[in-house]
Amino acid sequence: MRHLIVAEDLTAAEIEAIFAISRDLQEKYAAGRRDALLPGRVLALVFEKPSLRTRVSFEAAMTHLGGSSLFLGQDSGFASSRESIADFGRVLGGYVDAIVCRSKSHETIERLADVAGVPVINGLSDMAHPCQALADIYTLRQEIGRVKGMTLTFVGDGNNVARSLAVVCGLLGMRFVLAAPEGYHFDPAFRRHLAEILPEAEVEETTDAAAAVTDAAAVYTDVWASMGQEQERAERQKAFASFQVNEALMARCPDAVFMHCLPARRGEEVTDGVIDGPKSIVLPQATNRMHLQKGLLAWLLGHAE
Ligand code: CP
Ligand code: NVA
């Protein structure tokens, strides 16, 4: 049994296997076919934070695969004083075949995975957003043909999304550049971890966004204040003011596509002109969450050892 808590839980070969299943299912879906690979299987979604894409893409994916899903929000009592995470996870794991968890704390998802007895998938934590990063690189390959040897420049906070992207890029041979103001780069512990698990990975950090995008095949951004950081919003708006992805920045890399995990704060980290512009691939990114996660579910519940 396998979990997906961080992107580095997968090898490059496993990511390629998941991409291949996703591609096959995506093509069949486009042709009107929905292969019931997981009949009767149940997926639970345990969420401590809001979600549109992660929740709906997993629920739709599970239905297309012939299974079903159930959403457990705050009223389930997860990670509250109602009962321990161990009791919650052991009981839930007895009812369902897999769990997607979105939590305020990465450690909560790890504790759930330790006890659940079924695969646990991280649907976003403060540390990582592996499903997002996998769907993003899957999308990028569809859009630009190949990712190996290309550069993805992330202009913004060294947050959950940036971390997972750095790992998936490192695994698949893509150069990753983080352009962020001082104080918002990767923390030293994550940098050490990356160097240890992916010594060959090309991961660079800079404060110069204009220089960082010049050789980018893709420019990516995310909100400056993530869910749970709302009280830092004013301070972050100041710190990130010169890191907006706007037409002037994108003019430095006219061939690059624009990416965003969404939801976006238009007028802050990105302008309308860029996110709605001809180089934006944010909608295929969002749609591919469903296709990629179908491949992931089929792999985790069918193929993974
Ligand atoms: N990108 C993403 O995970 O979106 P949601 O927060 O809507 O799930
Ligand atoms: N970094 C964002 C991603 C949302 C999908 C957050 O954590 O809120």
Side-chain angles (χ1 to χ4, degrees):
M1 187 200 56
R2 296 282 297 274
H3 302 294
L4 177 61
I5 309 297
V6 286
E8 54 269 42
D9 288 340
L10 299 170
T11 64
E14 287 170 341
I15 293 175
E16 294 296 353
I18 293 166
F19 282 5
I21 304 169
S22 306
R23 204 162 38 244
D24 177 51
L25 292 172
Q26 184 174 3
E27 281 165 13
K28 287 177 175 154
Y29 182 75
R33 267 180 62 189
R34 298 179 184 193
D35 287 4
L37 301 181
L38 302 175
R41 305 287 192 100
V42 181
L43 177 71
L45 295 116
V46 182
F47 278 39
E48 282 190 87
K49 289 179 174 180
S51 171
L52 169 67
R53 282 144 287 266
T54 306
R55 174 184 178 172
V56 181
S57 58
F58 266 113
E59 294 213 34
M62 204 58 193
T63 303
H64 295 166
L65 291 168
S68 62
S69 58
L70 48 109
F71 182 78
L72 303 176
Q74 299 290 1
D75 59 348
S76 68
F78 178 65
S80 73
S81 55
R82 187 163 191 265
E83 63 185 321
S84 72
I85 289 166
D87 287 345
F88 185 103
R90 282 191 293 244
V91 170
L92 183 61
Y95 300 140
V96 304
D97 298 283
I99 301 170
V100 178
C101 183
R102 170 169 288 198
S103 179
K104 290 176 188 159
S105 148
H106 189 74
E107 199 203 343
T108 300
I109 303 178
E110 291 176 329
R111 283 164 66 198
L112 184 66
D114 283 345
V115 297
V118 296
V120 171
I121 299 169
N122 180 351
L124 181 142
S125 68
D126 49 335
M127 296 291 292
H129 199 2
C131 300
Q132 181 70 52
L134 290 169
D136 290 338
I137 303 305
Y138 175 80
T139 306
L140 201 48
R141 200 181 265 171
Q142 283 181 343
E143 297 288 334
I144 68 171
R146 76 179 171 108
V147 296
K148 201 174 165 65
M150 311 297 267
T151 298
L152 187 155
T153 300
F154 188 102
V155 181
D157 189 19
N159 63 9
N160 42 12
V161 173
R163 281 197 201 100
S164 292
L165 281 168
V167 172
V168 177
C169 285
L171 284 165
L172 299 187
M174 189 169 193
R175 181 169 163 256
F176 179 89
V177 181
L178 173 66
E182 293 291 356
Y184 296 95
H185 285 239
F186 291 141
D187 58 89
F190 178 71
R191 242 180 260 137
R192 278 196 302 275
H193 171 68
L194 258 187
E196 210 175 286
I197 58 162
L198 291 167
E200 311 281 295
E202 284 187 86
V203 177
E204 291 156 38
E205 297 181 67
T206 175
T207 51
D208 188 344
V213 299
T214 49
D215 46 8
V219 175
Y220 199 122
T221 191
D222 184 12
V223 289
W224 294 335
S226 286
M227 291 181 274
Q229 295 173 332
E230 290 79 7
Q231 74 292 348
E232 295 174 31
R233 196 159 164 226
E235 182 191 325
R236 285 169 173 267
Q237 274 174 341
K238 243 189 251 161
F240 283 95
S242 59
F243 287 80
Q244 184 186 61
V245 179
N246 52 30
E247 288 82 342
L249 190 70
M250 291 302 286
R252 303 183 70 92
C253 48
D255 294 331
V257 295
F258 171 74
M259 305 181 78
H260 194 306
C261 54
L262 303 180
R265 283 205 179 263
R266 289 163 173 260
E268 290 192 16
E269 76 274 8
V270 62
T271 56
D272 285 337
V274 169
I275 197 168
D276 297 328
K279 302 304 284 183
S280 174
I281 59 167
V282 300
L283 290 178
Q285 269 182 273
T287 309
N288 278 339
R289 291 292 303 279
M290 180 180 78
H291 298 303
L292 183 282
Q293 287 156 199
K294 247 185 230 179
L296 174 65
L297 289 167
W299 182 81
L300 266 180
L301 296 177
H303 299 63
E305 282 155 24

